[in-house]
Amino acid sequence: MASLSPALRPPRRPPAPIHRIVRPIVVIGLVAVLGACSTKAKPPPPPPPPIEIQVVHGDQTRSVRVRTGRTVGDALDKAGVQGTAGVERSAVDQVELGPNGNEVTYLLDEEPASLAEVLDHPATLEVIDGEDTTEATEVVRREQAITGLPDALQYVQAAGRVGVEDATVGVTSGETVSAVPVTPGVPAHRATGKVLALTFDDGPHPTYTPEVLDILKAKGVPATFCTIGAQVEEHPELAQRIVDEGHQLCNHTLDHVEGLEDEPRDTVEEQIEGGRQAIIDATGEAPAFYRPPGGSLGPIIYDVAGEQDEHVLYWSIDPRDWKRPPADEIVATVIDALGPGGIILLHDGGGNRDATIEALPKIIDLARAKGYTFVAPISGRPQVG
């Protein structure tokens, strides 16, 4: 079929303007949006206003506002209030010994409540601390401490007699509430009889201590050995021999530190406690005495030695044998200074002690010839007087 000539073709329809196409789409979109808005859920109602809680703790009252549904614990946290559980306290000093089981209690409008209880209305919350208690006491019969001993024993002391008392004490703390004498004691006092005490410092020494012990054994004389802790650690068998042969051990510090009264308390404690522990480790027995190196005394010395139950042992007769004078000079110095209750200072360590070993039996014999007896520094023997 033959095509039509351009002149005979029908004219084309022009395309629709773009605004005629977009306008219906916009209208449809607006309708959709308006429809969606018309079906949206309503906003939730506002939350209820906070409720006021009056928190009472002792004589303090604090007001806090919390939302409904919060707990007693929440209100306490907001108020910064924390109750205190009860404790048991000692009978005299009221020192805290530990919990007693009396817990904190809570009252909500005067009704018992827990920390987890929910708050839903204004209320008064009272916090009641657990009540403290005082420990129970008991009556024990015990020996009274001996009185009358000086701070430092320069002379032999008559031991006196231990008294007996019935004491009311705290069951846990042991604090004494009161005491009633049962048998009165007799105070210690300075010896008045012709007695002497022999003491030896700075041992034990592997050469001289056995020689001293041999002489004492042959003469039947007791003595007190003031040992250095470091020496005891090196020669524990000698410390044990001293005890086994009936003599006393005395703590002469761990390292023979002189001027100890001027040292810090930690150093004083280290030296005294260290010397004591060395003796205990070697013999199983604690020393009854403490002798200060160089004779250094002072309140801190008395205090720390007392805490270890050690009497400070001094002397009244000192021939200065540590300077190694001739044996005859040592003997003469001691014999010239004899008097009732004299405490003689000699050395079995710290240097050459040959002169001391030579002088010792002569001292014993000459003193006995003058009517003296050898005893311990604290003695209950009748001749002490």
Side-chain angles (χ1 to χ4, degrees):
M1 180 176 174
S3 61
L4 295 178
S5 66
L8 297 177
R9 294 178 182 166
R12 294 183 179 178
R13 180 180 295 178
I18 186 65
H19 66 272
R20 291 183 181 180
I21 300 172
V22 171
R23 185 178 298 156
I25 295 174
V26 172
V27 171
I28 294 171
L30 289 174
V31 171
V33 169
L34 292 174
C37 290
S38 65
T39 59
K40 185 177 181 180
K42 295 181 179 180
I51 55 177
E52 186 169 344
I53 305 297
Q54 300 291 326
V55 180
V56 180
H57 184 218
D59 58 358
Q60 301 291 322
T61 300
R62 299 181 183 180
S63 179
V64 296
R65 295 170 68 82
V66 299
R67 294 195 177 279
T68 300
R70 296 295 187 180
T71 65
V72 166
D74 294 332
L76 293 178
D77 288 343
K78 190 165 186 180
V81 172
Q82 183 176 12
T84 304
V87 297
E88 182 182 47
R89 298 190 176 277
S90 63
V92 178
D93 296 332
Q94 292 294 289
V95 175
E96 184 176 325
L97 301 176
N100 62 7
N102 293 337
E103 301 296 336
V104 181
T105 55
Y106 308 97
L107 297 179
L108 190 61
D109 287 338
E110 300 184 351
E111 294 293 328
S114 69
L115 291 173
E117 185 158 340
V118 174
L119 301 170
D120 57 8
H121 64 277
T124 296
L125 174 59
E126 186 175 3
V127 180
I128 303 173
D129 292 333
E131 184 177 358
D132 290 351
T133 55
T134 299
E135 66 175 324
T137 59
E138 61 182 351
V139 177
V140 296
R141 179 157 292 186
R142 67 186 186 188
E143 292 184 344
Q144 295 172 320
I146 295 178
T147 60
L149 290 172
D151 289 336
L153 278 63
Q154 192 173 7
Y155 296 91
V156 173
Q157 300 291 308
R161 185 174 66 243
V162 174
V164 177
E165 63 186 8
D166 284 341
T168 301
V169 301
V171 171
T172 302
S173 69
E175 293 178 350
T176 300
V177 178
S178 61
V180 178
V182 176
T183 303
V186 176
H189 57 276
R190 178 175 164 177
T192 58
K194 298 185 75 171
V195 294
L196 302 167
L198 275 174
T199 65
F200 296 89
D201 282 13
D202 296 353
H205 188 279
T207 299
Y208 300 112
T209 301
E211 292 185 23
V212 170
L213 287 169
D214 289 343
I215 294 169
L216 297 177
K217 186 174 183 179
K219 299 290 185 180
V221 172
T224 301
F225 289 79
C226 301
T227 57
I228 298 172
Q231 292 292 104
V232 172
E233 291 172 350
E234 288 189 24
H235 308 288
E237 74 288 349
L238 291 178
Q240 187 63 59
R241 179 181 169 185
I242 290 169
V243 173
D244 290 344
E245 295 188 7
H247 307 291
Q248 290 181 305
L249 284 170
C250 167
N251 176 8
H252 200 34
T253 72
L254 179 62
D255 299 303
H256 200 274
V257 176
E258 297 189 14
L260 199 56
E261 76 279 7
D262 295 324
E263 296 291 336
R265 186 180 182 91
D266 287 349
T267 302
V268 177
E269 291 176 346
E270 177 185 355
Q271 285 297 313
I272 294 179
E273 293 173 9
R276 176 184 179 84
Q277 191 60 51
I279 291 173
I280 293 173
D281 291 344
T283 68
E285 297 185 12
F289 300 102
Y290 166 74
R291 171 162 282 171
S296 57
L297 298 175
I300 192 170
I301 301 298
Y302 299 133
D303 187 33
V304 176
E307 289 177 353
Q308 306 300 313
D309 294 324
E310 295 175 6
H311 301 291
V312 176
L313 181 60
Y314 214 70
W315 59 84
S316 55
I317 302 173
D318 180 9
R320 296 180 177 271
D321 66 328
W322 56 272
K323 297 180 73 174
R324 297 199 293 273
D328 289 345
E329 184 178 327
I330 296 174
V331 174
T333 302
V334 171
I335 299 304
D336 288 346
L338 293 184
I343 297 177
I344 302 169
L345 171 60
L346 296 170
H347 293 76
D348 64 327
N352 187 305
R353 297 293 171 244
D354 289 338
T356 301
I357 299 300
E358 182 182 344
L360 180 56
K362 297 176 183 179
I363 291 171
I364 294 171
D365 292 343
L366 289 173
R368 280 176 167 169
K370 291 180 175 290
Y372 283 92
T373 300
F374 290 91
V375 296
I378 299 176
S379 175
R381 296 177 65 178
Q383 57 265 48
V384 173

